[in-house]
Amino acid sequence: MENMILAGIDIGNSTTEIAIADMSGKEPKFLAQHLVATTGVKGTVDNIKGIVACLERAVEKAGINLSDIHRIRLNDAVPVIGDLAMDLISETIITESSMIGHNPDTPGGGGIGVGETIMIDQLDQQGVNKDYIAVVPKIFDYEWVAHVINQSVKKGISVKGAIIQKDDGVLVHNRLEQKIPIVDEVAYIEKVPLQKLAAVEVALSGHVIRMLSNPYGLATVFQLSSSETRQIAPVAKSLVGIRSAVVIRTPQGEIVERKIEAGRITLIGEKDSVSVSINDGAEAIMDAYQKIGNLKDVQGEMGTNVGGMLNGLRQDLANLTGQTSDEIHITDMLAVNAGIPTSISGAMAGEIAMEQGVALASMVKTEKLSIHKVSDILQKELNIAVEVGGIEAEMAMRGALTTPGTEKPIVILDIGGGSTDAAAIDLKGNITSTHLAGAGDMVTLIIQSELALEDIELAEKIKKFPLGKVISLFHMQLEDGTISFTDTPYASDTFGKVVIREESDLTPLPIRATMEKVRSVRRDAKRKVFVTNALRALEMVSPTRNLRHLSFVVMLGGSALDFEIPQMISEELAKYTIVAGFANTRGSEGPRNAVATGLILSSQVKDGVMNG
C-alpha cells in the first residue's frame, strides 16, 4: 500500500510544533517532529512563514520530501495577542504637555491641524506667517465664530483647527468655507494655554485618531528628540482608540503635574455588568469577574491608560484580521498586582520609584476565525491539502493520552506562552475544555517591570533559568545557598555579580538587586500567574466545580518544561489530594508535541484508517 503521510501542525502563541506520521498501517508511525518560534500573532497569516520553515526541517528529519505529504492538519488557533494583550497599567504623571483627549458626540470635520493656540477674538489681528488653532470659550456664538474664522482665512491668516467649549463643533464646521478639524465639549477651556504649539486631530465617523495616538506621530508634530518622545509616550498611549484629541506643548515646569488616570474597566458578563477601578487592585477586579458569569467582553474607560490599552489591543487585532474593532471581544482576563518603575520628576540621575499597578492579560476572540484564511493560503502555497482540526484542548487531550500510565478519566493542563488551557475527559470520552488568558509571556512582563529591566529578553532568561552569584574567580553561590566550584575561572565581567545560569553560559545582570530579590520576584510572578490560572482552569473543567473531585492532572506545553513551575503547581494541587505531573507525549517527547500528535490521532478516528 502506498504510504499516506500526514502532518499535524500546532500553532501556539510562542512556538509552532509539527508531527509527521505515516498513516498507511493500522497504527500511525511517527516519522519526525520539530518546533520553531511562531511568526506573527497566533492564528493569523503571518504564521505561514514559520509553518513552512518548520515543515522543511521536519521533512528533512523524516527523510522525505515536502511533496510526499498528503495532508496537513492545523489546530483551530484562536488569535491571542500575547505581548499586546498584556500591559502594566498605572497612573502616569506628565510634566511636559497639556492634553485633551475625549470622545465628544459630534466633533467637527476631520484630519489633523497644528498651530499656535490663540483666543478667537484675537485671531483676525494676527500676522500671516504662522499657523493658528482657535480657542473658543462658551461666551462666543457659533455663527460669529464661523464668521471670524472665514474672515481671517480671507486675510491670509492660516487657521488649522479649533478647540471649542460648547457642543458647537458641527455648527461651526458647516459654516466654514475652508474646513478644519474641531474638537468641542472641552469643559475646562480656561486651562488651555495660549501662544503654545498645539495639535488637533479629529477622525471621521467610525474611525479613531492615528497621529496623536502614536508616540512617533507626536514626535513628528512637535519635533521631539528621542528622550522627549519617550517622555510623551504615555500621552499617546492614553489617546488610543478615541475619535478626537488635542495635545499642547508647554515649556517644562509650566504644568507641574497632570495625571492620566489608570481608569476603570467594565466587565460585561452573562448575568451582569460590573465596573471596577484599576486602582482598586487585581483582587477587586478578579472578585468582580467571579460574580458576572461567563465573560462576554471588557470595556476600558476612554482617555485613561486602561482604555488606551484595550482599544489598542482591539485595533491591532482588527488590523491583523481585516475586521472592525467592534467584532473583537475579550472573553477572559487575568489581573495581577505588579510593581511598575516610574520616573521621579526632577531626578538628576535617572532615579525611579516603584509604583503599584496592575498587569492585565486578555484573551481576545474575533467574530470570524482567521485560521481558515491561513489554511487556504498554505494550501495554495504548498499545493498540499490543508484542513483545520478540532478544538485545541481536545487535540491536546488525545496527545496527552499517549503518555505511558494515563487513561480516562483524566484532566490536562496546557501551560503555554499566552494562554493556560485545561480539558477533562470522562469514561465515555466526553471532553470539557477552557481557554484562559495569562501564561509565560505575562510572567516575563511582570519580571521585566518589577526589576525595571529595559531588555525583555533578559527578563525571559530570568524566568527560564536559575541564578547564582560569582563570589570569586572559582566559586559561585547558588540560589539554595550551596557553593559551586569550577576548575576554569569565571569570566571577569561576572565577578561579584548576580548571574543567570544558562545551560552553557553565565549572563551577568546589569542591576543592583540581590540574588534573593531577583529570585523572589521570579517565583512570585510565576505563582501569581501559573498557579492562579492552573486553579482557575481546573475548577472550570471539574464536573462539580470542586477541585477535590479531580484525581489526576497531566501538565503539557512549553512552560511545563520550566525548572520550577511543575513543582509549584504540584505542591498547590497536593493540597486538594490531586496527583500531578508533566506529560511524556508518545513516551518520548516530554510535555511537548501533544496538540500536533492529537491532530494526527484524531484524523485516524475521523477517517477510519485515513483512506482519503
Side-chain angles (χ1 to χ4, degrees):
M1 182 180 177
E2 184 193 350
N3 287 354
M4 302 290 287
I5 309 290
L6 180 70
I9 301 179
D10 170 23
I11 306 162
N13 293 292
S14 302
T15 58
T16 296
E17 299 187 53
I18 288 181
I20 295 178
D22 181 351
M23 307 296 286
S24 49
K26 283 190 177 179
E27 294 292 324
K29 181 186 175 188
F30 285 88
L31 305 176
Q33 52 282 320
H34 192 64
L35 88 164
V36 296
T38 297
T39 50
V41 172
K42 173 180 176 175
T44 61
V45 291
D46 290 344
N47 300 157
I48 289 172
K49 186 179 176 187
I51 291 170
V52 172
C54 199
L55 267 172
E56 286 170 350
R57 286 289 295 119
V59 295
E60 191 182 311
K61 283 182 178 179
I64 60 173
N65 296 316
L66 202 51
S67 57
D68 294 333
I69 294 176
H70 289 77
R71 191 178 340 164
I72 291 170
R73 302 197 81 218
L74 300 178
N75 62 321
D76 204 346
V78 176
V80 180
I81 298 194
D83 53 343
L84 295 165
M86 288 166 221
D87 216 339
L88 289 141
I89 297 166
S90 68
E91 294 194 351
T92 309
I93 294 171
I94 307 297
T95 56
E96 270 286 331
S97 76
S98 181
M99 182 189 69
I100 302 155
H102 65 160
N103 268 357
D105 293 334
T106 52
I112 185 164
V114 181
E116 189 174 289
T117 50
I118 190 80
M119 194 60 74
I120 184 69
D121 58 359
Q122 296 168 18
L123 180 62
D124 60 357
Q125 299 153 34
Q126 303 308 309
V128 295
N129 55 348
K130 275 187 184 175
D131 297 330
Y132 292 97
I133 302 289
V135 178
V136 185
K138 63 185 176 185
I139 57 170
F140 296 107
D141 176 71
Y142 64 85
E143 285 190 319
W144 182 84
V145 170
H147 173 75
V148 169
I149 293 174
N150 285 333
Q151 291 304 308
S152 300
V153 170
K154 282 177 183 170
K155 286 183 184 178
I157 297 168
S158 176
V159 183
K160 294 295 186 183
I163 306 166
I164 300 179
Q165 188 168 21
K166 287 196 293 186
D167 184 11
D168 286 349
V170 173
L171 294 170
V172 172
H173 184 261
N174 288 344
R175 289 162 174 76
L176 294 181
E177 291 162 15
Q178 189 172 306
K179 304 301 185 186
I180 57 173
I182 300 172
V183 174
D184 63 0
E185 296 178 57
V186 177
Y188 301 106
I189 202 150
E190 67 274 8
K191 293 189 178 178
V192 174
L194 301 174
Q195 280 89 50
K196 302 290 181 263
L197 189 62
V200 174
E201 185 175 5
V202 176
L204 297 175
S205 184
H207 293 260
V208 295
I209 61 168
R210 293 176 64 84
M211 195 73 167
L212 299 187
S213 60
N214 172 9
Y216 302 108
L218 284 172
T220 305
V221 168
F222 294 116
Q223 298 179 340
L224 303 178
S225 67
S226 60
S227 61
E228 288 170 326
T229 303
R230 196 159 46 243
Q231 195 174 7
I232 205 103
V235 171
K237 183 176 167 185
S238 73
L239 296 177
V240 170
I242 62 177
R243 195 180 155 200
S244 67
V246 178
V247 176
I248 303 161
R249 183 85 195 275
T250 58
Q252 191 164 8
E254 190 160 317
I255 290 177
V256 181
E257 283 193 352
R258 159 101 168 80
K259 282 191 176 180
I260 298 172
E261 298 292 328
R264 300 180 71 82
I265 54 172
T266 302
L267 305 169
I268 302 161
E270 275 182 335
K271 300 179 191 169
D272 202 1
S273 293
V274 181
S275 179
V276 195
S277 170
I278 292 292
N279 288 340
D280 289 345
E283 290 85 1
I285 295 168
M286 295 311 287
D287 285 349
Y289 186 175
Q290 296 296 320
K291 295 170 187 167
I292 60 165
N294 287 339
L295 186 68
K296 294 296 180 190
D297 205 2
V298 180
Q299 300 289 342
E301 184 184 352
M302 291 294 183
T304 65
N305 275 340
V306 73
M309 175 225 157
L310 293 175
N311 285 321
L313 163 64
R314 281 192 176 85
Q315 199 60 49
D316 283 320
L317 196 51
N319 294 341
L320 283 165
T321 57
Q323 297 172 63
T324 66
S325 52
D326 296 343
E327 294 177 285
I328 287 157
H329 306 287
I330 293 168
T331 55
D332 184 61
M333 189 173 70
L334 176 65
V336 172
N337 289 327
I340 301 175
T342 309
S343 298
I344 300 168
S345 296
M348 292 188 176
E351 297 94 341
I352 57 168
M354 292 306 287
E355 180 185 314
Q356 266 305 307
V358 173
L360 286 183
S362 309
M363 176 69 60
V364 185
K365 288 196 179 173
T366 63
E367 294 291 332
K368 307 188 283 277
L369 282 178
S370 56
I371 190 67
H372 293 284
K373 195 192 288 185
V374 177
S375 70
D376 293 345
I377 295 171
L378 193 62
Q379 184 162 310
K380 283 178 190 165
E381 194 168 310
L382 300 178
N383 201 24
I384 299 170
V386 180
E387 64 185 23
V388 177
I391 295 167
E392 195 168 335
E394 294 181 10
M395 297 302 105
M397 176 65 77
R398 293 187 191 279
L401 282 168
T402 64
T403 297
T406 57
E407 62 178 8
K408 304 171 194 173
I410 198 169
V411 177
I412 61 159
L413 191 62
D414 188 350
I415 321 161
S419 64
T420 301
D421 305 342
I425 190 168
D426 62 19
L427 285 167
K428 293 178 182 174
N430 300 317
I431 295 176
T432 313
S433 62
T434 190
H435 197 48
L436 301 183
D441 295 343
M442 191 184 195
V443 171
T444 305
L445 180 81
I446 294 169
I447 291 169
Q448 182 190 18
S449 182
E450 297 223 326
L451 294 176
L453 301 170
E454 290 185 5
D455 183 3
I456 191 85
E457 292 298 325
L458 193 61
E460 181 72 13
K461 286 182 180 179
I462 290 172
K463 177 183 78 178
K464 284 183 174 178
F465 300 106
L467 302 167
K469 180 166 185 181
V470 177
I471 49 179
S472 82
L473 291 176
F474 298 93
H475 301 81
M476 184 193 301
Q477 182 183 345
L478 306 184
E479 281 187 23
D480 61 1
T482 59
I483 303 293
S484 167
F485 299 88
T486 179
D487 294 332
T488 53
Y490 295 119
S492 57
D493 65 340
T494 64
F495 182 67
K497 296 275 182 70
V498 177
V499 293
I500 304 166
R501 292 163 48 217
E502 296 173 61
E503 277 111 353
S504 57
D505 201 11
L506 297 178
T507 302
L509 294 182
I511 54 174
R512 291 182 181 175
T514 63
M515 180 165 64
E516 292 72 23
K517 165 73 175 171
V518 178
R519 178 179 185 269
S520 170
V521 165
R522 182 193 75 216
R523 289 180 63 85
D524 283 353
K526 287 178 178 178
R527 263 194 211 94
K528 286 174 185 174
V529 176
F530 289 119
V531 175
T532 302
N533 256 359
L535 298 179
R536 274 208 310 151
L538 293 174
E539 196 174 88
M540 285 182 178
V541 298
S542 167
T544 59
R545 289 284 177 130
N546 187 336
L547 290 176
R548 294 188 185 280
H549 295 159
L550 299 177
S551 303
F552 298 98
V553 172
V554 175
M555 288 180 262
L556 303 169
S559 295
L561 291 165
D562 187 89
F563 71 100
E564 58 190 352
I565 293 166
Q567 181 192 352
M568 280 182 178
I569 294 173
S570 296
E571 284 174 1
E572 190 65 27
L573 294 181
K575 296 174 187 174
Y576 302 92
T577 66
I578 297 171
V579 177
F582 58 81
N584 188 14
T585 308
R586 308 200 310 268
S588 61
E589 301 307 308
R592 287 276 190 202
N593 211 252
V595 174
T597 298
L599 284 163
I600 285 172
L601 298 178
S602 65
S603 171
Q604 192 187 26
V605 170
K606 178 172 157 280
D607 298 348
V609 190
M610 194 186 158
N611 289 322

